[in-house]
Amino acid sequence: MAILVISSSLVALIAGLLFNRFAVPRILSGEDPPAMAIKELISPLLSLTVLLLAFVLVSAAGSYGKAEEASRAEARALDQISEAAEYVPVSDRLQIQADAVCYARAVASEEWDSMQYGKGSSVPSIWSTDLRRVFKSIEEDSAFSMLVAADVKRSDEREERLTQSTASVPVLVFWFLLVTLIITISSLGACLPLKKNRGHIVALSVLTALLAAILCIIQDVDQPYSGLIKVNPTAISEIERQAHRDLMKAQGSYILPCGEDGKELREKAN
């Protein structure tokens, strides 16, 4: 999409300059129109920049901010599950903490890649389902309510994280912004003075680059899990390392039911 924005902006700039160079002289019979002051190019730059930056800030505070907070909150909830498991019998504790490690690995490895395309993964659900299965066996335990509350929080934050993986800006709005950019650049290029216009061309080129960059930023920020500005699985990966370290410290010979990517080992064997 960024290539489309940049190429469209360049085409609009070139089209406006060509129109100014070859068509305007014929239309005006060789008379040079009143020169356009550079400040007249700066004026639409300021207004459009403010408008588009406001749009970027809304997108960042909305989609990107919610995505980042949801990923951190999910990691905290998973950490609470792993810590609350310390208050249940050993066999159940090991299973809960192992499921927590595998869930974190599945999210960071499998689901994070899928979210670049606005999709989730079924792999984390394997371990969240197994967590609830273990919870049923400890309903009478004092830690049961803590575990369930943390798991509900984890589930809610995962749902929010997946929701934010889809673009919040409608496609129609993005195309409207792109068409507006093309019309603006072409119109300004066509209105340049015919003579002594080198400074105007430079100013218009800078304006074109900035407007194209802003529109690329809007598109990039609106997809929090892909592009240059993206949310990384740092929080949940850190929780995975801590939970795995604590599990191995307490039970060094314990074999996790999943691999590094969070997939079931028996699934890999098949």
Side-chain angles (χ1 to χ4, degrees):
M1 193 65 73
I3 295 177
L4 174 63
V5 173
I6 295 173
S7 59
S8 299
S9 302
L10 288 175
V11 169
L13 175 62
I14 294 172
L17 293 177
L18 290 176
F19 183 86
N20 175 265
R21 177 66 178 84
F22 296 106
V24 172
R26 295 182 181 181
I27 296 174
L28 298 176
S29 300
E31 295 181 4
D32 194 12
M36 177 187 290
I38 294 180
K39 65 180 181 181
E40 294 182 45
L41 287 175
I42 299 298
S43 179
L45 169 62
L46 293 176
S47 59
L48 285 174
T49 299
V50 170
L51 176 62
L52 293 175
L53 282 178
F55 195 84
V56 171
L57 289 175
V58 170
S59 298
S63 181
Y64 187 90
K66 289 180 180 178
E68 188 173 32
E69 177 56 32
S71 63
R72 291 179 179 176
E74 182 184 20
R76 290 194 297 267
L78 194 65
D79 187 42
Q80 291 173 3
I81 292 175
S82 181
E83 291 180 353
E86 296 289 342
Y87 300 98
V88 302
V90 176
S91 58
D92 294 323
R93 171 175 62 81
L94 294 177
Q95 185 63 55
I96 291 172
Q97 292 178 337
D99 285 343
V101 171
C102 291
Y103 175 87
R105 289 182 176 182
V107 169
S109 181
E110 292 293 314
E111 193 157 66
W112 220 268
D113 291 338
S114 299
M115 287 193 301
Q116 296 182 22
Y117 310 101
K119 301 178 181 178
S121 172
S122 61
V123 180
S125 299
I126 296 174
W127 309 112
S128 60
T129 300
D130 196 58
L131 278 172
R132 290 190 290 272
R133 180 189 62 78
V134 179
F135 292 166
K136 291 180 180 179
S137 65
I138 57 172
E139 288 182 346
E140 303 301 324
D141 197 279
S142 59
F144 175 74
S145 59
M146 289 190 298
L147 289 168
V148 171
D151 188 58
V152 170
K153 178 67 174 176
R154 175 207 56 77
S155 179
D156 291 343
E157 297 301 337
R158 182 193 179 198
E159 183 177 353
E160 177 66 19
R161 172 171 54 78
L162 292 175
T163 298
Q164 298 306 323
S165 66
T166 57
S168 60
V169 178
V171 176
L172 182 61
V173 173
F174 178 81
W175 281 104
F176 174 77
L177 291 173
L178 180 59
V179 171
T180 302
L181 182 148
I182 293 173
I183 294 174
T184 301
I185 293 172
S186 299
S187 300
L188 290 173
C191 294
L192 291 178
L194 299 179
K195 300 177 181 178
K196 298 180 180 180
N197 58 5
R198 185 171 300 176
H200 299 80
I201 293 176
V202 172
L204 181 57
S205 300
V206 173
L207 174 61
T208 301
L210 289 176
L211 291 178
I214 291 173
L215 194 53
C216 288
I217 291 174
I218 290 175
Q219 193 271 335
D220 193 73
V221 171
D222 193 45
Q223 298 178 336
Y225 302 105
S226 62
L228 297 176
I229 308 172
K230 64 181 179 180
V231 179
N232 293 308
T234 306
I236 202 159
S237 294
E238 180 61 28
I239 295 302
E240 182 273 328
R241 285 191 290 270
Q242 293 177 10
H244 185 236
R245 179 195 61 202
D246 295 342
L247 179 60
M248 293 298 101
K249 185 182 296 184
Q251 192 74 22
S253 60
Y254 189 83
I255 300 177
L256 289 170
C258 65
E260 292 294 330
D261 56 3
K263 290 184 177 180
E264 290 183 283
L265 291 178
R266 60 174 176 272
E267 178 182 327
K268 288 187 173 184
N270 294 333

